[in-house]
Amino acid sequence: MRAFTYERPDNVAAAMQAAIQPGASFIAGGTNLLDLMKIDVEQPTHLVDISRLPLREVTETPDGGLRIGALVSNTDLAADQRVRQRYPVLAMALLNGASGQLRNQATTAGNLLQRTRCPYFYDVAMPCNKRQPGSGCSALTGFNRMHAILGASQACIAVHPSDMAVAMAALHAEIELQTPAGLSRKMPIAELHRLPGQNPERDTTLARGELITAVILPPPPAGRQTYRKVRDRASFAFALVSVAAIVDAGGGKIRDARLALGGVAHKPWVPKEAERELAGAPAEAGSYEAAARSALREAQTYTHNEFKVPLAERLLARTLGELATGG
């Protein structure tokens, strides 16, 4: 591990000031950053420990939503009765992530900002455009079973690993940010993560030094919610494909559907066309299957991940059917 300096401010203003210097990185739970530092993928010269900041509360918003502090642990968020009762898709996604020990340490903001688990990103002996821009993407011709089938580029086919982010995308959450200039701003979570394009080293749209202070959930949407995750083993494994779905149905019709897919792209993938097709469609198998095909229509596969397309289609269609019929 390379040498670095360290400080632990006790207020947001001091944290923002500390993060201005070159080479600075925020750290809270450290469940991802410390691992990357140990293998020389991340090389911060100054760590700003934000674990003392007053960002550990889940509070009600005036419109009936929730404001989740950036440092709320994954365990505490999943156990919050308001989340379990009003946003079950989020509770399920959290409980499907990592292990109990990691959830105890991992934070809400850190979960959103974790980096890909692509093995070539982690292997400093292999070319990786995300780790070393311009060096190439080893996954294109390597072992790419876990990799993207939507929104990828020739520069990178890595996927975003978060389960929580997929659920929050389906819930239309907002991110609350503090800028180095001392200003606050918000953005839809759909605008937080980037597709790789020609700059896969940039995971998010955050400006340098910006700090996530909270995630805002809007009032609970109508309908039933669920999170489904297909993985190689029952726990402590990243998604091959996952689905966060919220379906409002009745009278034999689908009134509204919100969808997000995980394990298939560089960010949580929201299939807008499929959502539009479902609105007003009959609550029957043909509608679910058509929407699933629409969601995967632009998929591009590689040598080892062709199976992800039928897997995602079947998972999405089955999930829609369960929710629309009260399963």
Side-chain angles (χ1 to χ4, degrees), residues 276-295:
R276 288 191 291 267
E277 290 179 6
L278 286 166
E284 58 188 31
S287 299
Y288 318 142
E289 293 164 0
R293 289 192 298 271
S294 179

Side-chain angles (χ1 to χ4, degrees), residues 70-246:
L71 297 179
V72 174
S73 74
N74 287 182
T75 294
D76 288 345
L77 187 58
D80 190 290
Q81 287 303 308
R82 294 164 295 185
V83 174
R84 293 172 68 89
Q85 293 168 12
R86 291 150 56 180
Y87 305 95
V89 64
L90 177 56
M92 285 186 274
L94 286 161
L95 292 173
N96 271 280
S99 65
Q101 294 91 334
L102 285 172
R103 292 195 296 270
N104 289 343
Q105 188 73 6
T107 63
T108 298
N111 188 302
L112 293 175
L113 298 178
Q114 63 183 301
R115 307 207 69 188
T116 183
R117 266 44 177 205
C118 172
Y120 300 107
F121 174 69
Y122 272 69
D123 185 350
V124 295
M126 299 296 292
C128 171
N129 287 320
K130 182 176 283 295
R131 176 172 27 82
Q132 185 178 355
S135 62
C137 176
S138 297
L140 284 172
T141 56
F143 186 64
N144 43 44
R145 179 173 179 269
M146 297 291 293
H147 288 71
I149 56 174
L150 290 164
S153 71
Q154 289 299 297
C156 181
I157 59 172
V159 298
H160 194 271
S162 173
D163 293 289
M164 185 189 76
V166 179
M168 287 186 168
L171 288 167
H172 297 179
E174 281 190 318
I175 308 300
E176 180 183 278
L177 302 165
Q178 186 82 10
T179 73
L183 303 175
S184 294
R185 71 184 183 98
K186 294 180 181 178
M187 71 162 69
I189 193 170
E191 297 177 10
L192 174 63
H193 300 103
R194 298 179 63 257
L195 292 178
Q198 295 306 306
N199 299 103
E201 71 277 10
R202 292 179 53 212
D203 292 340
T204 73
T205 59
L206 296 182
R208 177 171 177 77
E210 285 190 316
L211 174 67
I212 295 177
T213 52
V215 176
I216 312 297
L217 296 181
R224 298 183 177 91
Q225 308 176 18
T226 197
Y227 184 75
R228 295 282 185 265
K229 179 178 181 179
V230 178
R231 48 188 165 175
D232 286 326
R233 58 181 184 268
S235 67
F236 200 39
F238 296 99
L240 293 168
V241 175
S242 65
V243 173
I246 305 167

